[in-house]
Amino acid sequence: MSQELTIERIMQRGLLTCEPDTPLWMAAGRMASRQCSSIVVVEAGQPVGIWTESDAMAIDFSAPDAVRQPVSRVMSQPVVSLPASTPVSEAALRFSAERRRHFIVVDSSETLIGIVSQTDVVLNQGLEPYLRLREVESAMRKRVLVLEGLTRLAQAARSMHLAECDAVIVKCEDGELGILTERDLVRFVAEHPGDRPIETLASRPLLTVNQCDTLIAARDLLMSHRVRHLGVLDEAGEVVGLLGFRDMLAGAEHLYLEDLRKALEQRDRALAQSRESRQLAERIIDSSLEGIIIADSRGRIEFVNRAFTHMTGYTAEEVIGKNPSLLSSGRHDAEFYRQMWEVLRRDGYWRGEVWNRRKSGELYLEMLTITAITDDTGAVSHYAALFSDITHLRENEEHIRRLAYYDALTGLPNRRLLEDRLELAIRHAHRNQSRLAVIFIDLDHFKQVNDTLGHAFGDELLVMMAERLQMGLREDDTLARLGGDEFLVLLPGLEEIDDVTRIARRLIEMVCAPCVIEGQEFRLGCSLGISFYPDDATTGSMLVHNADMAMYRAKQEGRNGYRLYRNEMNLHDDRQRALEQALRTSLNSHEGVQLLYQPIIESDSGRLHAAEALLRWHHPLLGAVSPADIVLLAEQSGLLEQLGDHVFEQVCAQLAAWRRAGKQPAPININLSARQFLQQDLAVRVAGRLKAHDLPPGLVGFEIGERVLLEQNQQAHAALKRLRRLGGEIALNDFGTGQVAIGYLQELPISAIKLEPHFVQRLDNDQRGSVALLAAVTGLAGELDLRVVAVGVESKAQRDILLRHGVKLLQGHLVGRPLPAASFAETYLTEARRTMSSTTN
């Protein structure tokens, strides 16, 4: 290398962090589970302190509440940082001069990017210091703290703190030696085992080396056993010192400052010139922190380094001569490896991420680089694979990503992610010429709950409210937390404004449901504000602002409700809600919504052929509501099935009543909306009504819109077959509006087609060749054996044209207006025959 190694190359990017109010035992638990020597305390994205293993010695283990205090009370501050470009040699000097064991690392913009410890420097300083400082005795710590096994944990921690030592040797009652370290104290903070004798807590037995052993052997022993301290024995087997990574760094410090840069440059040159300096290259490979595999041209392993064993758990003896596939995790299919080898053969190298499996069975993610090594003839002689474990790196990246885009308390998207989704939804809505809505939600009186019961209680309540709100939304909707008790909902792909108001009412109901936390039951309310794109704004920021304004208006008007940004929308919504409530009341009370019956007359005889049941509803305050609006309102408010049952029941009950009165009722046709028609149990429910009123088959018929049959081809065909089994007439309503294909019309199991009124009315002046079209339709119907009903017949001229073209069934004001049941029976059911002239005059 042309420059000295910097701490950016050796630092740990997987930074462990917590907030200032995190309980000390929880912070220690995170350190213990991750085997980290420090945790950085962060507030508002900035480091405000650090708590390390050495700080654990200051904890009073005899006081049970000591581990429950916030980490901010015991953290070290301020946090000292180093630029990422700092040479490792300079960092080593500062570790010694400032008596520190950790520095956080920042980039050129002072952004926190990692942390570096003394251990990182030791593990990356190469072989040279160990070769020069040959024996353990030259670097060991000769002043050793030895405590009796019956010493209490609190006293041991105080002794370690006063002596400024990171480990203590424990002389147990049975004569065996153990060790108690700073890392053990961290674990005890997390587990709080109590102020017990330390011989019950110490790691046993003590791992030792002789003082005349080489440092490189001691280093390998530390790494292979994954420990941080070794006891040092003299020739008589007595403990005369301790050796750890910290001691190695101090012993090698002066040599390191002088030789580190040269050693690293020599290592990199040796890797590039391995043929000229094989012995040095092998040393470098063996001490590399990356796992290395060298395989022959057939893929059989010839060499692995120590880092391979450290990461995979397999020793060299276990893998040499075998295929690297023994590490396979099973997560990648054959196609993945086929493409890998294709790239390797084509380019001579491959680099990517691979999931592999350790000897223990644990999965890990590695960054793998495979290079094909060729001989003098250009043929591949070996493959060299270098890999590093990046599992924690990916976990930390995911954690950082979640911190950047998701709320830490509720797990919901935060303001930043919401803005991204909102801008994307606006572009999509603009392209598709559709609507979207933003709902601003503020919990009513939440601050009082927070102040009265505490922030922990308030946090639990916020999580509960977030879960409830999420349950009230559609799959593609977005719920975000803006902060405090404010939430925002993004509703894309809207068809009707009423869809949003129904969701708003549902959200209010879910928030208002009783809450039970820690045995206390109470209720909250919420105020909602709604704005629409593009009606109210065309940018995300203005949509949110307008929804916020509408929310404040909802609070001013009494809270626990919602308001739309524009007043005219509120007026429309108020009317819709009033209509919905009135319709619900009418259906429950069987009053208000009524049926009229309009006759269908046989033109040649003047006799009644059938009648069509027509919905009528006149609200005392809101006025007349059209049948189409009644059906639409029922669909939007979830009352469609109840409305359908109401109509079926009224028709069947009326038919039964006429029969009991000795009348001969004509068949009654019922109009079906698209949603009613496609209900799977429609035929079963109708059959049940007929049976309940003892009505014979054929007295109830159905009329279905032409457009429904076009848009729901497969479902419509099956539904028609089920209805035909009931024996009644099945008519295709408003024929001529949907342009049914002739071939499809032939396949439909229907018995009649009804010409829509506008078509009939154009016959007076033969507009647009209406008479020619009529001739074509009647001719087609005759060929298909279908009856033709003309709807909306209002003049004799229309009647005469229809008669000339063979239309035998007429419906309209000319032949009979819609009548209530009593009037209809009196007019049409009391006479066996009734002529056309008597009907029309």
Side-chain angles (χ1 to χ4, degrees):
M1 296 186 336
S2 59
Q3 297 181 352
E4 184 175 350
L5 186 70
T6 62
I7 60 174
E8 186 176 18
R9 295 277 300 276
I10 69 170
M11 70 180 182
Q12 298 294 319
R13 296 183 182 271
L15 190 64
L16 187 62
T17 64
C18 69
E19 296 180 350
D21 58 354
T22 302
L24 184 58
W25 67 266
M26 186 180 294
R30 294 180 187 175
M31 288 172 59
S33 64
R34 288 278 299 276
Q35 295 188 344
C36 289
S37 58
S38 64
I39 187 167
V40 178
V41 183
V42 176
E43 187 173 27
Q46 297 296 320
V48 296
I50 187 171
W51 193 74
T52 68
E53 291 175 342
S54 61
D55 294 326
M57 294 187 296
I59 301 301
D60 184 4
F61 287 90
S62 64
D65 290 335
V67 300
R68 298 185 179 91
Q69 61 185 317
V71 70
S72 57
R73 293 186 183 177
V74 294
M75 67 184 182
S76 300
Q77 54 181 337
V79 187
V80 181
S81 64
L82 290 178
S85 58
T86 304
V88 173
S89 58
E90 181 180 335
L93 265 180
R94 291 192 60 177
F95 275 129
S96 177
E98 298 178 23
R99 298 174 64 86
R100 296 183 184 276
R101 291 160 68 181
H102 299 83
F103 290 105
I104 64 172
V105 183
V106 297
D107 60 16
S108 57
S109 61
E110 295 296 314
T111 300
L112 181 63
I113 61 173
I115 191 167
V116 65
S117 66
Q118 285 182 321
T119 303
D120 296 325
V121 173
V122 171
L123 292 176
N124 287 275
Q125 64 181 328
L127 293 172
E128 197 65 17
Y130 302 106
L131 297 175
R132 297 244 185 132
L133 297 173
R134 295 187 61 84
E135 295 181 351
V136 169
E137 186 177 16
S138 60
M140 72 178 188
R141 190 186 322 166
K142 297 179 180 177
R143 186 167 62 90
V144 184
L145 183 62
V146 181
L147 297 178
E148 293 296 328
L150 296 180
T151 305
R152 294 284 175 173
L153 176 59
Q155 179 58 47
R158 285 193 293 270
S159 300
M160 292 172 68
H161 185 55
L162 293 173
E164 296 184 345
C165 59
D166 59 354
V168 58
I169 292 177
V170 180
K171 186 180 294 184
C172 302
E173 294 241 315
D174 58 4
E176 187 178 39
L177 296 179
I179 190 168
L180 197 68
T181 68
E182 291 174 340
R183 179 156 291 184
D184 294 326
L185 296 184
V186 171
R187 179 164 50 85
F188 299 153
V189 171
E191 298 173 355
H192 32 276
D195 194 13
R196 294 161 50 188
I198 59 176
E199 72 172 0
T200 66
L201 301 172
S203 299
R204 301 165 64 181
L206 175 66
L207 195 63
T208 62
V209 293
N210 293 319
Q211 61 184 357
C212 60
D213 288 346
T214 61
L215 273 178
I216 187 68
R219 174 181 179 267
D220 291 343
L221 189 61
L222 285 168
M223 293 183 65
S224 63
H225 285 80
R226 304 185 74 174
V227 297
R228 305 171 77 185
H229 299 86
L230 299 172
V232 182
L233 306 178
D234 61 11
E235 294 179 355
E238 296 293 327
V239 176
V240 294
L242 271 180
L243 179 69
F245 285 120
R246 180 179 173 186
D247 309 302
M248 291 183 182
L249 179 62
E253 178 181 311
H254 298 294
L255 281 173
Y256 186 86
L257 295 176
E258 177 184 353
D259 295 335
L260 177 60
R261 180 176 57 85
K262 293 180 181 179
L264 292 173
E265 290 178 351
Q266 183 180 13
R267 185 189 69 174
D268 286 349
R269 281 197 306 271
L271 287 173
Q273 303 170 356
S274 59
R275 294 185 182 181
E276 300 176 8
S277 184
R278 184 176 181 84
Q279 184 177 5
L280 181 58
E282 288 178 353
R283 288 180 182 174
I284 294 170
I285 290 172
D286 202 42
S287 63
S288 173
L289 294 179
E290 288 188 306
I292 297 176
I293 305 173
I294 297 177
D296 63 19
S297 59
R298 290 185 292 177
R300 294 178 303 190
I301 298 174
E302 292 186 351
F303 170 83
V304 294
N305 66 346
R306 293 180 186 273
F308 170 90
T309 300
H310 176 71
M311 279 188 269
T312 68
Y314 289 100
T315 64
E317 292 77 11
E318 291 175 312
V319 299
I320 288 177
K322 297 181 180 179
N323 192 286
S325 61
L326 65 89
L327 300 173
S328 176
S329 65
R331 283 198 173 187
H332 305 290
D333 57 17
E335 179 63 17
F336 174 85
Y337 292 106
R338 188 194 66 77
Q339 293 181 7
M340 173 196 291
W341 281 102
E342 181 179 336
V343 172
L344 187 57
R345 283 190 291 268
R346 184 185 67 233
D347 301 334
Y349 70 91
W350 181 90
R351 179 175 175 81
E353 296 179 1
V354 177
W355 282 97
N356 272 339
R357 191 181 300 274
R358 308 186 206 276
K359 183 180 179 180
S360 63
E362 176 189 4
L363 293 178
Y364 70 99
L365 182 64
E366 67 182 28
M367 176 58 72
L368 173 65
T369 301
I370 306 175
T371 303
I373 301 172
T374 57
D375 56 21
D376 294 337
T377 65
V380 175
S381 62
H382 292 84
Y383 293 100
L386 285 77
F387 65 93
S388 55
D389 187 344
I390 60 171
T391 309
H392 292 309
L393 178 63
R394 286 290 176 269
E395 290 173 352
N396 291 333
E397 288 177 352
E398 176 62 21
H399 179 64
I400 292 171
R401 189 188 72 83
R402 288 200 63 81
L403 289 177
Y405 288 101
Y406 292 86
D407 176 54
L409 175 64
T410 63
L412 295 175
N414 61 14
R415 184 185 293 270
R416 180 177 177 184
L417 181 55
L418 173 71
E419 290 172 352
D420 292 345
R421 292 188 180 178
L422 182 53
E423 291 304 317
L424 182 63
I426 288 174
R427 289 197 295 271
H428 185 77
H430 176 73
R431 183 168 61 251
N432 295 327
Q433 297 295 300
S434 62
R435 270 197 179 102
L436 64 83
V438 168
I439 304 179
F440 199 108
I441 304 173
D442 185 89
L443 301 181
D444 294 335
H445 306 300
F446 176 76
K447 187 176 185 302
Q448 298 176 13
V449 175
N450 224 16
D451 293 342
T452 304
L453 302 176
H455 290 283
F457 194 94
D459 287 348
E460 189 171 350
L461 182 60
L462 286 173
V463 172
M464 179 183 292
M465 290 299 106
E467 292 173 349
R468 288 185 178 183
L469 292 171
Q470 191 71 66
M471 292 173 60
L473 298 176
R474 305 170 303 176
E475 185 177 358
D476 294 335
D477 300 337
T478 294
L479 172 65
R481 183 187 177 208
L482 301 183
D485 61 341
E486 293 180 340
F487 298 86
L488 205 80
V489 176
L490 168 61
L491 303 174
L494 295 174
E495 295 182 1
E496 299 291 341
I497 292 177
D498 296 339
D499 295 339
V500 180
T501 57
R502 283 196 303 278
I503 292 174
R505 294 196 294 272
R506 184 163 68 240
L507 295 178
I508 293 172
E509 291 174 0
M510 299 185 82
V511 170
C512 292
C515 302
V516 179
I517 299 178
E518 297 180 1
Q520 299 188 56
E521 179 176 329
F522 57 93
R523 296 175 184 266
L524 276 183
C526 63
S527 299
L528 279 61
I530 305 171
S531 64
F532 292 90
Y533 170 92
D535 308 76
D536 301 328
T538 56
T539 65
S541 58
M542 286 306 298
L543 281 171
V544 174
H545 176 268
N546 292 344
D548 190 13
M549 296 284 291
M551 182 273 295
Y552 275 106
R553 189 157 64 243
K555 282 188 177 292
Q556 293 168 359
E557 295 179 5
R559 299 178 184 267
N560 204 34
Y562 68 88
R563 300 306 291 168
L564 286 79
Y565 178 67
R566 290 194 296 157
N567 282 330
E568 58 267 29
M569 285 188 175
N570 280 315
L571 293 175
H572 170 76
D573 182 59
D574 290 344
R575 183 177 187 276
Q576 287 298 106
R577 278 190 289 166
L579 281 173
E580 180 182 325
Q581 183 57 43
L583 178 60
R584 193 182 302 275
T585 302
S586 296
L587 293 177
N588 289 335
S589 62
H590 301 291
E591 297 177 359
V593 177
Q594 63 174 334
L595 293 179
L596 299 183
Y597 300 90
Q598 186 173 28
I600 300 173
I601 301 296
E602 296 176 357
S603 60
D604 53 357
S605 64
R607 289 183 304 200
L608 178 68
H609 173 76
E612 181 180 352
L614 300 175
L615 272 175
R616 292 294 184 267
W617 183 30
H618 190 280
H619 191 275
L621 297 178
L622 301 175
V625 184
S626 70
D629 288 342
I630 296 174
V631 173
L632 178 61
L633 183 64
E635 287 183 346
Q636 293 175 345
S637 57
L639 297 172
L640 184 63
E641 184 173 338
Q642 189 175 350
L643 177 63
D645 289 344
H646 175 80
V647 172
F648 296 152
E649 175 62 27
Q650 293 298 311
V651 168
C652 292
Q654 188 60 65
L655 287 168
W658 285 335
R659 294 185 71 203
R660 287 194 300 272
K663 310 289 186 183
Q664 291 295 324
I668 304 297
N669 292 343
I670 299 174
N671 276 286
L672 294 178
S673 70
R675 192 172 298 180
Q676 282 178 298
F677 173 59
L678 296 174
Q679 289 174 337
Q680 291 291 325
D681 62 342
L682 174 64
V684 175
R685 285 165 41 218
V686 173
R689 298 280 178 184
L690 294 173
K691 183 177 181 181
H693 290 280
D694 194 23
L695 295 176
L699 276 184
V700 176
F702 298 96
E703 298 182 8
I704 299 99
E706 177 184 332
R707 194 176 303 276
V708 179
L709 302 182
L710 276 175
E711 294 175 352
Q712 303 290 340
N713 190 333
Q714 296 296 329
Q715 290 178 270
H717 201 276
L720 287 172
K721 284 186 174 181
R722 289 193 293 268
L723 290 178
R724 281 302 298 269
R725 296 192 188 104
L726 300 176
E729 186 166 78
I730 306 294
L732 185 62
N733 206 359
D734 293 334
F735 183 75
T737 60
Q739 300 177 354
V740 171
I742 294 176
Y744 180 51
L745 184 63
Q746 185 179 10
E747 298 174 0
L748 293 174
I750 59 176
S751 55
I753 57 176
K754 299 187 75 172
L755 301 178
E756 56 102 8
H758 293 296
F759 181 87
V760 173
Q761 289 162 13
R762 287 198 297 267
L763 295 175
D764 282 330
N765 301 315
D766 192 19
Q767 297 179 19
R768 300 182 183 176
S770 297
V771 174
L773 289 175
L774 175 63
V777 170
T778 54
L780 174 64
E783 292 295 327
L784 297 177
D785 196 24
L786 296 175
R787 287 186 290 275
V788 179
V789 182
V791 182
V793 181
E794 297 181 352
S795 70
K796 293 182 179 180
Q798 294 168 2
R799 178 190 63 185
D800 294 341
I801 294 172
L802 291 166
L803 290 175
R804 284 201 304 270
H805 287 83
V807 178
K808 299 180 180 180
L809 298 175
L810 305 180
Q811 179 181 349
H813 290 175
L814 181 67
V815 296
R817 295 177 178 274
L819 296 173
S823 300
F824 180 83
E826 181 181 351
T827 304
Y828 295 101
L829 301 184
T830 56
E831 300 180 17
R833 300 179 63 86
R834 191 169 182 84
T835 65
M836 177 70 80
S837 59
S838 63
T839 305
T840 58
N841 290 331

